[in-house]
Amino acid sequence: MTHTRAFVPTMGALHAGHLSLIDIAKQYSSDVVVSIFVNPLQFEDPDDLAKYPRTLESDSERALGAGASEIWAPTEKDIYPDEVQLIDAGAIGKKYEGAGREGHFDGVLTVVDRLFKHVQPTHAIFGEKDFQQLFIIKKWVRKSESPIEIISAPIIRDVDGLALSSRNTRLSAEDRKYALIISRALRQATHERSVESARDRLHDVLASEPSFELDYAEIINEDNFEPATSARKARALVAGWVNGVRLLDNMQMSVPTFPTVVAP
Ligand code: PAF
């Protein structure tokens, strides 16, 4: 039997969302590698990079405790020993998350490529929380005819609905309450009957919270990332800031099911 290796790439500051990725990885292989590397190429804001939590020791303990067989925490020199040739994420890399964060997805693809080359996984697990990242990685893997199977993992939320993120630790208790507008808006919008009303609802609910600063809110088609025209395979995306902390989240539209009417 061929050897399998499941890979969970992370930037550390592990939370229950990351541990759920390790859990999924274990379904694909008993050899589970977790990498911890804060990739400077995907940060356009030096302040955001500097503030990114670095908690290697506790991260390693948590990952091993969750069943990882190996932790790999390379240095910047290990990953980028020479001049870097960026991988172009294409037009889609310039939309939504990529619009205000120039080069972000080029940086993500460049590091993922290097991590894959080192780890040589058969499977790699990425969370749906970063849905555009997942889409871009899947597309690039398909295009480069890589044999690595990309597995998507569902978003993990706190009991109050906030999607887990390493950045949540930077929210005060008050900020957290404001941040809940995101999941509330997504829940309400994705239960609308049409994409048009979902879009309106998303914007209306988000605008009702003055402490939330909107970056973008859109309903996209999951197959091509274009604005959705029907609820099938449509997903609502939101990104913005609460008190300077950038937050993003998404939710799939629940397609309305109509009762079958049986003619008398
Ligand atoms: O999703 C992340 O944590 C990062 O973008 C990744 C995939 C580890 C690349 O640095």
Side-chain angles (χ1 to χ4, degrees):
M1 216 179 93
T2 51
H3 179 75
T4 56
R5 171 172 291 157
F7 180 37
V8 180
T10 80
M11 297 206 298
L14 301 190
H15 49 66
H18 295 107
L19 304 187
S20 78
L21 303 185
I22 298 175
D23 252 353
I24 292 173
K26 289 193 290 186
Q27 295 169 22
Y28 291 89
S29 179
S30 54
D31 179 5
V32 173
V33 177
V34 174
S35 67
I36 299 174
F37 177 65
V38 183
N39 175 31
L41 291 190
Q42 66 189 82
F43 288 81
E44 66 300 330
D45 175 3
D47 194 42
D48 198 23
L49 173 62
K51 282 190 183 144
Y52 205 86
R54 286 161 175 85
T55 47
L56 181 58
E57 209 172 306
S58 55
D59 285 343
S60 304
E61 275 171 27
R62 293 196 84 183
L64 291 170
S69 24
E70 192 188 321
I71 310 299
W72 179 45
T75 63
E76 205 174 316
K77 260 265 159 286
D78 292 332
I79 300 290
Y80 303 121
D82 310 306
E83 209 184 307
V84 184
Q85 192 70 39
L86 284 171
I87 298 179
D88 184 359
I92 195 116
K94 295 178 178 57
K95 291 179 173 183
Y96 306 115
E97 269 314 279
R101 307 178 68 190
E102 213 193 316
H104 170 71
F105 287 113
D106 299 346
V108 169
L109 283 188
T110 305
V111 79
V112 168
D113 179 51
R114 291 181 183 218
L115 297 171
F116 279 3
K117 282 194 173 119
H118 179 92
V119 175
Q120 306 244 315
T122 50
H123 300 79
I125 297 80
F126 293 88
E128 285 184 352
K129 162 97 178 1
D130 295 298
F131 198 76
Q132 192 176 359
Q133 166 174 283
L134 174 65
F135 180 89
I136 287 173
I137 291 172
K138 275 187 176 166
K139 194 168 173 220
W140 164 72
V141 162
R142 235 183 359 254
K143 196 170 154 214
S144 48
E145 295 180 8
S146 159
I148 301 169
E149 198 180 324
I150 304 299
I151 314 290
S152 30
I155 296 174
I156 305 292
R157 298 178 183 282
D158 253 323
V159 278
D160 58 8
L162 189 68
L164 296 193
S165 160
S166 305
R167 289 196 172 93
N168 293 355
T169 54
R170 284 162 55 194
L171 294 171
S172 68
E174 198 69 8
D175 293 343
R176 225 191 128 88
K177 281 191 212 142
Y178 305 141
L180 292 181
I181 198 66
I182 303 175
S183 53
R184 197 174 310 137
L186 284 169
R187 248 189 340 266
Q188 293 188 22
T190 53
H191 281 86
E192 288 289 332
R193 295 226 140 196
S194 74
V195 170
E196 292 72 29
S197 49
R199 251 183 214 114
D200 290 346
R201 178 64 80 101
L202 193 59
H203 282 275
D204 288 351
V205 178
L206 290 170
S208 71
E209 176 49 77
S211 299
F212 176 69
E213 191 192 332
L214 180 67
D215 182 1
Y216 60 84
E218 183 52 280
I219 317 282
I220 55 102
N221 178 328
E222 289 185 352
D223 283 340
N224 56 19
F225 245 82
E226 292 296 327
T229 50
S230 93
R232 213 182 99 1
K233 285 204 158 183
R235 189 172 282 258
L237 310 177
V238 173
W241 298 267
V242 170
N243 211 354
V245 180
R246 187 173 173 80
L247 299 166
L248 67 155
D249 198 352
N250 65 81
M251 207 174 275
Q252 193 173 46
M253 287 275 296
S254 34
V255 182
T257 49
F258 300 101
T260 316
V261 180
V262 181

